[in-house]
Amino acid sequence: MFQETNSAGSKTGNMVHPDPNFSSSSAASSDANDFAARNSNFSAYDAARLSGEVSSPLMMSPWNQPSPFANSWSNSNKTISHSQPQNSLIGSLVREEGHIYSLAAKDDILYTGSDSKNIRVWKNMQEYSAFKSNSGLVKAIIISGDKIFTGHQDGKIRLWKISPKDPSIHKRFGTMPRFFDIFKASIKPSNYVEVKRNRSAVWIKHTDAISCLSMSQENGLLYSASWDKTFKVWRPESSKCIESVKAHDDAVNSVVASVGGMVYTGSADGTVKVWKREQKGKAVRHTLQQTLLSQESAVTALAVNESGSVVYSGSSDGLVNFWELEKELSHGGVLKGHKLAVLCLAAAGNLAFSGSADKTICVWRREGAVHTCLSVLTGHTGPVKCLAVEKDKESALDGDADKKWVVYSGSLDKSVKVWSVSEMAPGMQPGGSMQQNYGETNWDSIPSAKY
């Protein structure tokens, strides 16, 4: 939805524009000079400082740290045969009210979270409804049945329920942790943990922004990652925190619960860790199994495919690493496709998607251990901060052998773009800059990364 603003700043109208002239290109055309480079690690980011000025913190953000492979980026476009499936932009949802930080999609319903305090609901690319939280920036959204979970800058999780009488109405029915639980825990000194020097807090409460939420489909446990260096485990039905894990030495930017009790976390400390969930009765404990990655560049995003067989990790150096479960989580390779930091990842079918501060989304197709870059989706004018993917129901109904997906990308340009992506789309020409390192990898050739 597009909202125009007149010179006085008042809102004059809304409309949806499908952007029929936009399409994907086989190589990104965005200019790296739009950003000022800064060689430092990703850390907790203050959204209140965002600005469009050249000298603003956004321009100097570590998100905009250039990839060591930026110089080898190819700007040549590939001519694609129109007889083959193509990846293209379906439309844009724009509302000039805040940077988009989180997305969740289910059954053609899209939820968007921003720094405007509003969670907006879209249906068929039209604004359907909205509900508001007083907590400010919405960092994460999870849909589970008729319930919506939102993670916020204030370290709290808010629970919303869809009205059975009117699905456009969402009512808040709880907050995690509950005030009563915090009060009860505060009575016992043993419930306090040190969070900073000379500062302690009850262990059931996040003391910094929530960066990510993930739901275990096996047992309905909810996981929250936070900049307070921990991830926490929740039982949504009781709104209780059942475990808190001091997982990293810096902000935890991503947590993903996968099949077989596996949980993955990625952090600004440059590591990706694997945790195993063990349950005895009602007690749940997570133990560290291994560290997949340890590098100087911050880990900014994680994604696991539906079967849990492939784990993807994006980082501030613009790279995507991946590991294969059937090979005991051995390192499968590095996907090089971005000029600047990778900020979000998603996996669906045989595809993986990486969104970046360079304003583009790379679409990767996996065939065995080899990944091919199908295309680079361009059109955003700001960093791509979040992704959500759904099956294209129309292609499934038509009995089309080609798997197609609807991809939503949220950006700091205050817009969400909607893409149609085909697994059968042609890949980039051989010799293009989108490449994968696998097998005998020369790790010494990757600057600023120690594995």
Side-chain angles (χ1 to χ4, degrees):
M1 181 169 286
F2 182 76
Q3 184 166 318
E4 296 179 348
T5 305
N6 60 22
S7 59
S10 62
K11 300 171 184 176
T12 59
N14 296 322
M15 70 176 184
V16 174
H17 57 96
D19 289 348
N21 296 322
F22 272 104
S23 63
S24 65
S25 67
S26 296
S29 59
S30 60
D31 188 356
N33 293 329
D34 290 343
F35 296 95
R38 177 180 176 183
N39 293 318
S40 62
N41 287 335
F42 179 89
S43 61
Y45 187 69
D46 183 3
R49 302 184 306 171
L50 286 172
S51 169
E53 299 178 357
V54 175
S55 61
S56 72
L58 174 58
M59 298 300 104
M60 297 299 292
S61 168
W63 284 353
N64 299 324
Q65 169 181 324
S67 163
F69 305 101
N71 293 333
S72 65
W73 182 273
S74 171
N75 286 317
S76 62
N77 291 323
K78 175 185 174 184
T79 301
I80 299 176
S81 169
H82 290 284
S83 63
Q84 295 176 301
Q86 298 183 46
N87 299 334
S88 59
L89 182 65
I90 299 173
S92 294
L93 312 177
V94 183
R95 190 176 180 104
E96 296 288 344
E97 65 174 8
H99 306 279
I100 307 298
Y101 279 88
S102 53
L103 295 172
K106 184 180 180 181
D107 299 330
D108 297 326
I109 301 291
L110 176 70
Y111 291 81
T112 61
S114 70
D115 53 7
S116 69
K117 301 183 181 181
N118 293 314
I119 297 104
R120 300 214 169 262
V121 190
W122 308 81
K123 187 175 183 179
N124 299 323
M125 293 201 298
Q126 299 283 343
E127 184 170 353
Y128 182 56
S129 68
F131 49 102
K132 186 175 183 179
S133 170
N134 295 325
S135 62
L137 193 137
V138 185
K139 298 282 291 180
I141 306 175
I142 288 283
I143 306 171
S144 180
D146 64 344
K147 297 180 179 63
I148 314 297
F149 301 88
T150 54
H152 298 262
Q153 185 83 16
D154 65 0
K156 294 179 181 179
I157 302 168
R158 286 166 174 82
L159 292 69
W160 312 82
K161 194 167 185 178
I162 302 171
S163 170
K165 294 182 180 180
D166 185 350
S168 68
I169 297 176
H170 296 71
K171 294 185 177 180
R172 197 175 95 182
F173 71 97
T175 301
M176 296 193 296
R178 298 179 301 182
F179 175 79
F180 176 77
D181 292 331
I182 296 174
F183 175 75
K184 185 178 178 181
S186 67
I187 298 173
K188 290 185 179 181
S190 60
N191 285 327
Y192 285 82
V193 293
E194 185 177 0
V195 292
K196 291 182 180 179
R197 178 181 285 185
N198 299 325
R199 183 188 169 192
S200 60
V202 290
W203 66 271
I204 64 172
K205 181 182 178 181
H206 280 302
T207 57
D208 208 331
I210 288 176
S211 56
C212 184
L213 296 173
S214 181
M215 182 76 76
S216 169
Q217 300 303 319
E218 294 175 328
N219 53 18
L221 294 177
L222 180 69
Y223 291 80
S224 59
S226 171
W227 289 348
D228 66 9
K229 309 177 186 178
T230 73
F231 74 85
K232 298 187 189 298
V233 190
W234 308 82
R235 290 194 192 280
E237 64 271 16
S238 63
S239 297
K240 289 187 179 297
C241 181
I242 59 175
E243 187 184 11
S244 178
V245 180
K246 173 66 168 64
H248 291 273
D249 296 326
D250 206 335
V252 184
N253 292 321
S254 187
V255 60
V256 179
S258 186
V259 298
M262 306 290 283
V263 178
Y264 303 90
T265 56
S267 168
D269 65 12
T271 64
V272 175
K273 294 184 178 181
V274 186
W275 308 82
K276 180 71 173 179
R277 181 177 64 246
E278 298 173 350
Q279 189 162 349
K280 293 182 179 179
K282 292 186 177 181
V284 175
R285 289 291 178 268
H286 290 76
T287 56
L288 180 63
Q289 298 295 295
Q290 64 185 110
T291 299
L292 298 180
L293 184 65
S294 182
Q295 61 179 22
E296 292 181 1
S297 298
V299 175
T300 51
L302 296 174
V304 181
N305 65 350
E306 188 175 3
S307 66
S309 61
V310 185
V311 181
Y312 297 93
S313 164
S315 51
S316 61
D317 56 11
L319 301 179
V320 177
N321 285 270
F322 72 95
W323 296 264
E324 299 170 285
L325 185 63
E326 63 181 16
K327 297 181 181 178
E328 298 181 349
L329 288 174
S330 63
H331 189 265
V334 181
L335 310 182
K336 306 174 184 178
H338 291 288
K339 298 178 184 180
L340 302 174
V342 174
L343 301 181
C344 52
L345 292 169
N350 292 319
L351 299 181
F353 307 87
S354 54
S356 170
D358 65 15
K359 312 174 190 177
T360 70
I361 302 108
C362 285
V363 182
W364 308 90
R365 180 173 61 210
R366 179 176 61 87
E367 297 173 277
V370 178
H371 287 71
T372 303
C373 184
L374 299 186
S375 57
V376 179
L377 308 179
T378 62
H380 279 295
T381 58
V384 180
K385 188 65 182 68
C386 47
L387 292 166
V389 185
E390 271 201 300
K391 286 183 179 178
D392 187 325
K393 292 183 178 179
E394 290 187 8
S395 65
L397 292 173
D398 293 340
D400 194 342
D402 174 25
K403 284 187 179 180
K404 292 183 180 178
W405 304 89
V406 177
V407 179
Y408 304 93
S409 57
S411 169
L412 301 189
D413 64 10
K414 302 182 181 181
S415 79
V416 176
K417 294 195 179 294
V418 188
W419 314 84
S420 175
V421 175
S422 165
E423 290 196 13
M424 300 299 290
M428 296 183 64
Q429 289 182 349
S433 65
M434 303 298 170
Q435 60 183 322
Q436 171 187 326
N437 281 357
Y438 55 93
E440 296 296 325
T441 305
N442 179 11
W443 301 112
D444 294 334
S445 67
I446 303 178
S448 76
K450 297 177 181 178
Y451 292 85

